[in-house]
Amino acid sequence: MATEDVFVLHNGVKIPSIGFGTWQIPNDEAYDAVTAALKNGYRHIDTAMSYRNEKEVGRAIREFDLPREDIFLTSKLRASIKDYDAVFEAFEKSRTDLDVDYIDLWLIHAPWPWDEKGADYTEGNIQAWKAMEKLHSEGKIRSIGVSNFSESDIQALLDNCDIVPMVNQIPFYIGRDQESLLTFCEEHNIVVEAYSPLATGELLDHPEVKELAEKYGVTVAQLAIRYCLERNTLPLPKSTHESRIIENKQIDFTISPEDMDKLNAIEDVRK
């Protein structure tokens, strides 16, 4: 469920409605990028163990000197970890690298190791999820979720575990709205987070998207981020340029139903 400023997870935890993503931001740049994001009003920061920048992300949060409870921090379990006991060790490493007492949202990064994309790791996901449920029950993680999970991947957790995932973080952008998966998540009160809302930059030169952005007097990036919110998903834009970091949060406009229909009809630019 979303308001203009926050989504409310099914356990009542509030999550700011735009996150700052740090994928592909190297460790030495992550500190400056996160600091710039915090300076310009972002209060939701997304990282992952596999991004290899948790230490600098954590340092930026710590040195910005906001109360810890004012920042929503997400990280992710490495996709290759599918063993119950290994989850606890991995969590402690992430928590230590971030230098925090708790993590607001922790996700299983993918249902399979990245070098075995599409392989069946159902049992491993169930074991990892049960370990995450324990960490959640101990108060070490405020909310737990998944990333890159299909309907069947999520259904396996629903059938074998106690807690419904609070979040599914997936690639979602104009041209790739994952309609069936989005509907499934909405039916189970799972918030969908939209990573790569600009299709890793490939939307920026799309003629129809550019034309609509001009109509609204906004940038293509702003239109793409607004689109995600209009579809009731939580966008995670990223940039290392402060001007774009500022711009990506300035989306106080709405897209008409007619123009949403046009955007929904666009084909995936990354096919």
Side-chain angles (χ1 to χ4, degrees):
M1 186 175 75
T3 67
E4 190 62 29
D5 298 321
V6 297
F7 283 72
V8 182
L9 305 180
H10 68 65
N11 64 340
V13 169
K14 294 178 180 178
I15 175 170
S17 60
I18 298 178
F20 182 73
T22 62
W23 177 49
Q24 293 181 324
I25 301 181
N27 205 24
D28 54 347
E29 294 180 38
Y31 174 84
D32 291 336
V34 172
T35 299
L38 292 171
K39 186 176 85 172
N40 289 289
Y42 290 79
R43 295 295 179 263
H44 172 187
I45 308 297
D46 181 276
T47 185
M49 177 179 278
S50 65
Y51 298 172
R52 300 182 180 180
N53 58 19
E54 285 179 310
K55 287 184 178 179
E56 293 306 301
V57 168
R59 184 165 73 89
I61 290 171
R62 190 168 61 256
E63 293 184 2
F64 197 74
D65 201 26
L66 274 172
R68 171 68 184 89
E69 60 270 21
D70 287 355
I71 298 174
F72 192 100
L73 177 60
T74 299
S75 194
K76 306 175 192 76
L77 174 68
R78 195 181 298 280
S80 58
I81 296 174
K82 302 298 180 189
D83 173 75
Y84 181 87
D85 291 328
V87 171
F88 299 102
E89 183 180 348
F91 173 79
E92 198 52 38
K93 178 171 180 9
S94 270
R95 190 197 64 77
T96 301
D97 285 349
L98 289 161
D99 194 14
V100 292
D101 294 329
Y102 64 91
I103 293 174
D104 294 282
L105 173 63
W106 207 41
L107 309 176
I108 298 177
H109 205 156
W112 15 250
W114 291 111
D115 59 354
E116 296 182 62
K117 192 171 181 178
D120 184 359
Y121 276 82
T122 301
E123 185 54 40
N125 289 325
I126 291 167
Q127 292 307 312
W129 190 252
K130 287 183 174 180
M132 288 170 68
E133 288 180 328
K134 186 171 192 302
L135 288 164
H136 178 261
S137 71
E138 293 172 349
K140 295 176 180 177
I141 314 168
R142 295 178 68 218
S143 44
I144 53 178
V146 295
S147 183
N148 300 293
F149 270 49
S150 68
E151 293 99 310
S152 60
D153 294 323
I154 296 172
Q155 190 62 53
L157 301 185
L158 301 180
D159 292 342
N160 293 281
C161 303
D162 296 324
I163 299 176
V164 175
M166 286 100 180
V167 165
N168 188 17
Q169 188 179 119
I170 60 173
F172 186 99
Y173 49 82
I174 295 167
R176 189 178 184 186
D177 61 11
Q178 303 218 50
E179 190 74 49
S180 173
L181 181 54
L182 182 60
T183 299
F184 178 90
C185 289
E186 287 174 343
E187 288 171 349
H188 292 280
N189 206 11
I190 299 168
V191 169
V192 170
E193 291 188 335
Y195 74 76
S196 299
L198 310 183
T200 57
E202 292 188 38
L203 278 175
L204 295 175
D205 293 318
H206 191 287
E208 192 171 356
V209 179
K210 285 173 73 174
E211 184 180 334
L212 281 172
E214 288 169 10
K215 172 183 173 179
Y216 286 91
V218 298
T219 66
V220 168
Q222 288 169 323
L223 186 78
I225 293 163
R226 183 76 231 177
Y227 171 84
C228 292
L229 287 167
E230 298 278 357
R231 294 299 308 271
N232 201 35
T233 67
L234 192 160
L236 298 166
K238 72 175 183 69
S239 179
T240 56
H241 303 284
E242 187 166 12
S243 61
R244 291 182 193 148
I245 289 170
I246 294 167
E247 187 182 275
N248 288 345
K249 209 169 182 298
Q250 294 174 334
I251 51 159
D252 53 348
F253 65 98
T254 56
I255 304 170
S256 74
E258 297 77 21
D259 289 335
M260 283 298 294
D261 287 343
K262 291 177 185 176
L263 293 171
N264 286 333
I266 288 173
E267 294 189 3
D268 193 346
V269 292
R270 300 187 68 196
K271 279 183 179 174

